[in-house]
Amino acid sequence: MMRQYELVERVQKYKPDVNEALLNKAYVYAMQKHGLQKRASGDPYFSHPLEVAAILTDLHLDEATIAVALLHDTIEDTTATRDEIDELFGEEIGSLVEGLTKIKKIDLVSKKAKQAENLRKLLLAISDDLRVLLVKLADRLHNMRTLGVMRDDKRKRISEETMDIYAPLAGRMGMQEMREELEELAFRNINPEAWETVTKRLAELSVRNEGIIDKIESELGELLENGGLHGAVVKGRQKKAYSVFRKMQSKSLSFEQLSDVFGFRIIVPEVQDCYKALGMVHTRWRLVPGRFKDYISTPKQNGYRSLHTTIVGPARQRIELQIRTDWMNDVAELGIAAHSLYKDGQTAGDQPAREINAYSWLRQTIESLSEGDNAEEFLEHTKLELFQDQVFCFSPKGKLIALPRGATPIDFAYAVHTDIGDTCVGAKINGRIMPLVTRLNNGDEVEIIRSGVQVPPAAWEEIVVTGKARSAIRRATRMAIRKQYSGLGQRILERTFERAGKTFSRDLLKASLFRLGHKEVEDAIAAVGRGELSSIDVLHAVFPDYQDERVTVRQAADEGWVAMDSASGMIFKVPGQGDGASIPGSTMFRGLAPDLQVSFSPAGAVPGDRIVGILGDGKSLTIYPIQSPGLQEFDDENHRWIDVRWDLDETNKARFKARIEISALNEPGTLATVAQTIATTDVNISTLTMTRVATDFTEMTIDLEVWDLRQLNLLISRLKELECVATAKRLFR
């Protein structure tokens, strides 16, 4: 285990003015707090944070980050508290340590949900200071290096999480060396047979081609030297097992078909030297078509810059080449850790403008996080984007937009701005109007056609590939639904308050939101419209002293029952068996109007539906489910809306009318099968209409009598399972 002075010496090698007192204090504090704790391997637990700190010294990070590495498990696994760390080490280090502390003491429904919540917390902490990510990745790397003592199932679970999240996240931050090691370690545990096979084949290939890397390095170096590029360095290597395995899977190739197992890197002093070296190589050896990429003029989103090409080089061997400067090579290998701001104690807020673009993906991900997706959806979208290769497209004004491969113009629109995505109705790709489902390619110029009345369809969620677009579409859909229900809720509340002799006001409601469990006025009003919140409950929340007495007197079943609703000022009566009602299941209201007749809309309503009443000519009230399109006729007649609810007499149950539509095969026995299914579900057929809509299909409209919504939904589900039924749905008209 590394000694205290050894850690200080490692930091002093690249930072002579190191704050030794800080490192010594963190070393001693962490060692004391972890005390006699042991790892699964039996080693002292303190060896883990010490090794994490050592990994970060290899990245030449500042002493504050090294101190955080030493302390990163103290809040989670010892008696240490955030306040104590703040007092001893300062709020900056305390904040970083807390950002690395996993969520505890929270009731989560699944390991996936816990994983999602931890990722959310990590990314939010990273948004404050990216050093949190550096420590977390070093923490995961050391855990993967020492995973061998774990149970097989635990090793596989941790490795899958590493492959799903942490290795791609390291790649997105440009830390390729760390990504490759994480992938290699995870691959070994997830698919040990494949790892062993590929590793064995690579070893055989290395023996068979012994000396070929040295030969190619020599020829390339000689070519560059003779061309006047003095000081150019050529490095060759054989690809790692997981990189080879991934290419075999993605391109459906056997090991023998792989022709570019070797990769070479040419490192030159200046940017212009990169293009000069490229010209020399392409003049000497033949380029493999379609394999040249210029990431210097068009850097990747994580700041990666390099020229990529594949040539048929010496010995007719296919060779992958990367050409870059020393600085580009540091960024390619170390990513965000290569930037000076992590070596001199600056924070992410001090980052120069030229470096900001390297982290745009991270900021967009955190932006989608703050827009309200639940944790598991966020995890799904984050994984999706972590694994995507990129395409680079341009706006008509020349703005470069980086998107995942497979992205559509809709993704492009949302990447530019959420408002542009929400109002998108079409797109021009390279000057031609193209469908919105078109997949974009590198270099495409995309112009978005907009409309101010557009609302993004919910179906777009299945078309787009970016988490930002999916989040925005889902949010816009929620807002559209909320707006629809908000209008209904507003009318219901105005009517209820009016009947109670009060005046409804959004300002009054805003002051009472805490009693209703909602954060925004619109949410509470929409909840009333959906039937999730009673208008009477809202009235009581706004006016706590208001007395609302509803007295129900139940009598014998043959006499019915009566009730008085003080909010509406009506006394009403539900007829029993001896009460001669002209409409089955109707309700007779008696109160302000004599014998107020209640009936249902043509398609009916059933217990379980959210219902509203529409006053007629003063003697009638018609009950509608809120989904009924017939309610649109009364949008401008607020005075006719009555807030009603189901209040059933369990001793005198009745069936209620509902209407369904079935599209079924036109063949003998279909009607009998449908009727039998309806009968076995204890549902009665009132009327049935059949219409031939095609040679092979018949459309049936059936009026049913059911007990409640649960029974109706069960019937529709059973009908959909029939082989002779194509579709089955409820009608509200």
Side-chain angles (χ1 to χ4, degrees):
M1 191 165 64
M2 185 166 49
R3 299 297 181 91
Q4 188 172 339
Y5 70 89
E6 292 175 321
L7 177 63
V8 174
E9 288 176 353
R10 288 177 72 118
V11 181
Q12 279 179 330
K13 287 180 181 179
Y14 60 86
K15 197 173 189 299
D17 59 341
V18 60
N19 185 344
E20 293 185 42
L22 174 63
L23 293 179
N24 288 330
K25 187 194 295 186
Y27 186 102
V28 173
Y29 180 83
M31 182 171 61
Q32 290 175 341
K33 283 295 179 181
H34 287 295
L36 299 177
Q37 290 178 348
K38 300 285 186 181
R39 303 197 79 208
S41 62
D43 295 332
Y45 190 92
F46 180 60
S47 64
H48 166 65
L50 198 55
E51 288 300 322
V52 173
I55 292 171
L56 295 176
T57 61
D58 292 336
L59 299 177
H60 293 187
L61 296 180
D62 65 289
E63 58 264 53
T65 311
I66 306 301
V68 170
L70 292 170
L71 301 168
H72 78 272
D73 277 336
T74 53
I75 293 179
E76 182 179 350
D77 295 328
T78 75
T79 58
T81 64
R82 167 69 191 274
D83 290 341
E84 188 176 324
I85 291 178
D86 282 352
E87 183 179 348
L88 290 172
F89 301 98
E91 290 187 9
E92 178 189 6
I93 289 177
S95 174
L96 292 172
V97 173
E98 187 176 51
L100 287 155
T101 303
K102 296 176 185 175
I103 292 177
K104 299 174 70 176
K105 298 178 183 177
I106 185 168
D107 185 17
L108 296 166
V109 296
S110 66
K111 287 184 178 178
K112 183 178 180 182
K114 185 174 182 179
Q115 182 189 56
E117 284 293 346
N118 284 330
L119 179 61
R120 288 179 70 135
K121 190 168 188 283
L122 172 64
L123 289 182
L124 284 173
I126 292 170
S127 70
D128 293 329
D129 195 315
L130 280 164
R131 287 177 292 180
V132 170
L133 176 60
L134 299 175
V135 178
K136 185 62 182 177
L137 289 175
D139 173 42
R140 179 52 61 115
L141 179 58
H142 183 252
N143 282 333
M144 291 300 298
R145 287 174 177 174
T146 57
L147 207 58
V149 297
M150 298 288 187
R151 298 192 317 266
D152 288 347
D153 60 328
K154 192 169 184 179
R155 271 208 319 272
K156 186 174 181 181
R157 178 177 59 78
I158 294 172
S159 297
E160 286 174 347
E161 185 180 65
T162 300
M163 191 71 85
D164 283 350
I165 296 172
Y166 293 101
L169 190 55
R172 279 289 187 170
M173 295 298 103
M175 305 172 71
Q176 296 303 325
E177 281 196 348
M178 185 173 287
R179 174 182 183 165
E180 287 183 356
E181 185 174 356
L182 287 170
E183 285 177 339
E184 198 70 13
L185 293 167
F187 177 47
R188 183 172 186 172
N189 289 291
I190 293 171
N191 196 340
E193 292 182 4
W195 178 84
E196 187 175 348
T197 300
V198 175
T199 301
K200 183 178 179 181
R201 299 297 295 274
L202 285 173
E204 293 171 355
L205 184 66
S206 180
V207 172
R208 189 164 63 246
N209 293 320
E210 187 176 2
I212 194 169
I213 291 180
D214 293 338
K215 179 182 177 183
I216 294 173
E217 283 182 356
S218 176
E219 289 199 29
L220 284 171
E222 184 179 340
L223 173 69
L224 298 172
E225 183 69 25
N226 293 338
L229 270 181
H230 308 297
V233 176
V234 181
K235 298 179 180 179
R237 64 168 187 159
Q238 184 174 273
K239 291 186 177 178
K240 294 187 179 294
Y242 180 68
S243 176
V244 171
F245 178 76
R246 182 170 53 191
K247 179 167 282 191
M248 289 168 61
Q249 281 202 317
S250 63
K251 298 191 175 182
S252 300
L253 299 173
S254 66
F255 188 87
E256 290 73 14
Q257 291 175 299
L258 292 175
S259 55
D260 48 2
V261 177
F262 300 106
F264 291 83
R265 191 170 297 158
I266 298 174
I267 300 173
V268 295
E270 303 293 338
V271 174
Q272 58 267 29
D273 295 335
C274 295
Y275 292 97
K276 187 176 180 181
L278 179 70
M280 293 179 191
V281 170
H282 281 181
T283 302
R284 174 74 175 271
W285 290 292
R286 183 165 56 87
L287 164 72
V288 177
R291 297 297 302 271
F292 171 68
K293 294 178 182 177
D294 186 347
Y295 291 119
I296 293 180
S297 64
T298 309
K300 287 188 176 183
Q301 216 165 354
N302 59 16
Y304 176 87
R305 302 176 73 200
S306 183
L307 296 178
H308 288 196
T309 187
T310 302
I311 60 172
V312 180
R316 306 293 297 171
Q317 185 80 29
R318 206 183 247 210
I319 301 170
E320 283 190 358
L321 282 178
Q322 298 170 347
I323 307 173
R324 57 180 70 145
T325 66
D326 281 312
W327 167 245
M328 293 176 193
N329 191 56
D330 285 344
V331 173
E333 292 182 348
L334 305 179
I336 58 175
H339 294 298
S340 60
L341 67 112
Y342 300 109
K343 298 184 171 71
D344 57 16
Q346 296 179 26
T347 63
D350 301 320
Q351 195 173 347
R354 64 183 177 82
E355 293 178 357
I356 289 177
N357 286 338
Y359 316 116
S360 59
W361 170 84
L362 182 62
R363 290 196 306 275
Q364 289 173 4
T365 301
I366 294 169
E367 180 184 334
S368 70
L369 163 64
S370 65
E371 288 172 353
D373 279 354
N374 69 49
E376 293 193 37
E377 287 175 351
F378 172 72
L379 177 64
E380 170 200 341
H381 297 161
T382 304
K383 284 184 181 179
L384 183 68
E385 292 194 19
L386 282 171
F387 279 119
Q388 294 286 349
D389 292 329
Q390 290 178 305
V391 294
F392 298 91
C393 302
F394 296 88
S395 71
K397 293 184 178 180
K399 182 180 179 180
L400 179 66
I401 302 293
L403 295 166
R405 192 166 298 280
T408 66
I410 304 172
D411 292 293
F412 181 94
Y414 278 107
V416 175
H417 197 279
T418 301
D419 289 342
I420 294 177
D422 286 346
T423 56
C424 170
V425 293
K428 288 183 180 180
I429 301 176
N430 302 322
R432 297 177 57 195
I433 294 180
M434 300 292 286
L436 288 174
V437 295
T438 305
R439 290 192 173 189
L440 299 176
N441 297 310
N442 272 319
D444 281 347
E445 181 184 282
V446 184
E447 178 182 352
I448 301 300
I449 302 170
R450 303 172 65 189
S451 169
V453 297
Q454 161 73 350
V455 175
W460 277 9
E461 191 181 339
E462 303 302 321
I463 298 172
V464 299
V465 299
T466 60
K468 180 179 181 181
R470 287 188 178 179
S471 298
I473 292 164
R474 185 178 288 111
R475 188 175 64 258
T477 302
R478 284 198 302 264
M479 292 298 293
I481 294 173
R482 188 176 79 165
K483 185 177 180 181
Q484 173 187 348
Y485 283 117
S486 182
L488 174 60
Q490 175 91 12
R491 290 190 290 270
I492 291 173
L493 287 170
E494 287 174 352
R495 185 64 175 165
T496 299
F497 275 60
E498 181 183 338
R499 290 197 301 267
K502 308 290 184 181
T503 301
F504 174 71
S505 164
R506 286 173 175 261
D507 290 337
L508 287 173
L509 180 55
K510 185 175 183 179
S512 306
L513 284 176
F514 69 95
R515 297 192 185 100
L516 299 171
H518 290 276
K519 294 182 179 179
E520 296 182 13
V521 170
E522 286 298 321
D523 289 335
I525 295 176
V528 174
R530 285 193 299 269
E532 297 171 357
L533 182 63
S534 165
S535 60
I536 299 299
D537 291 339
V538 176
L539 181 64
H540 285 157
V542 176
F543 298 103
D545 297 332
Y546 174 72
Q547 297 297 318
D548 171 32
E549 297 181 358
R550 182 183 178 107
V551 181
T552 300
V553 182
R554 297 188 181 275
Q555 300 175 355
D558 60 343
E559 297 178 2
W561 56 273
V562 296
M564 182 180 78
D565 185 349
S566 60
S568 64
M570 290 185 178
I571 298 175
F572 54 89
K573 180 180 180 183
V574 176
Q577 297 173 354
D579 199 314
S582 59
I583 301 175
S586 68
T587 305
M588 297 292 293
F589 280 73
R590 307 184 190 279
L592 299 178
D595 297 337
L596 183 66
Q597 180 70 41
V598 175
S599 61
F600 291 92
S601 64
V606 301
D609 283 337
R610 173 68 174 93
I611 54 175
V612 293
I614 300 295
L615 282 171
D617 54 5
K619 296 184 179 181
S620 66
L621 185 73
T622 305
I623 306 298
Y624 290 85
I626 58 170
Q627 300 95 326
S628 175
L631 286 172
Q632 296 175 4
E633 300 176 20
F634 312 107
D635 280 349
D636 299 325
E637 302 178 77
N638 294 350
H639 63 283
R640 297 181 61 183
W641 292 71
I642 298 291
D643 182 19
V644 295
R645 73 188 78 175
W646 297 101
D647 198 354
L648 303 176
D649 182 3
E650 294 298 327
T651 65
N652 186 25
K653 292 186 68 175
R655 292 182 183 269
F656 294 83
K657 178 183 174 182
R659 181 172 292 167
I660 64 172
E661 181 181 86
I662 299 172
S663 179
L665 290 175
N666 182 33
E667 62 183 20
T670 293
L671 180 58
T673 302
V674 169
Q676 179 64 26
T677 302
I678 293 173
T680 55
T681 315
D682 190 27
V683 174
N684 187 45
I685 297 177
S686 176
T687 61
L688 184 148
T689 304
M690 300 179 66
T691 305
R692 179 78 65 85
V693 293
T695 304
D696 298 322
F697 285 91
T698 295
E699 194 173 87
M700 304 180 191
T701 302
I702 308 176
D703 285 343
L704 305 169
E705 293 176 352
V706 300
W707 297 114
D708 52 31
L709 184 61
R710 183 201 60 79
Q711 186 187 35
L712 177 60
N713 288 337
L714 175 63
L715 172 62
I716 293 174
S717 176
R718 289 180 176 178
L719 289 170
K720 288 179 178 179
E721 293 173 357
L722 298 177
E723 292 184 1
C724 61
V725 172
T727 61
K729 63 182 180 181
R730 184 180 177 187
L731 296 181
F732 293 95
R733 53 180 173 77

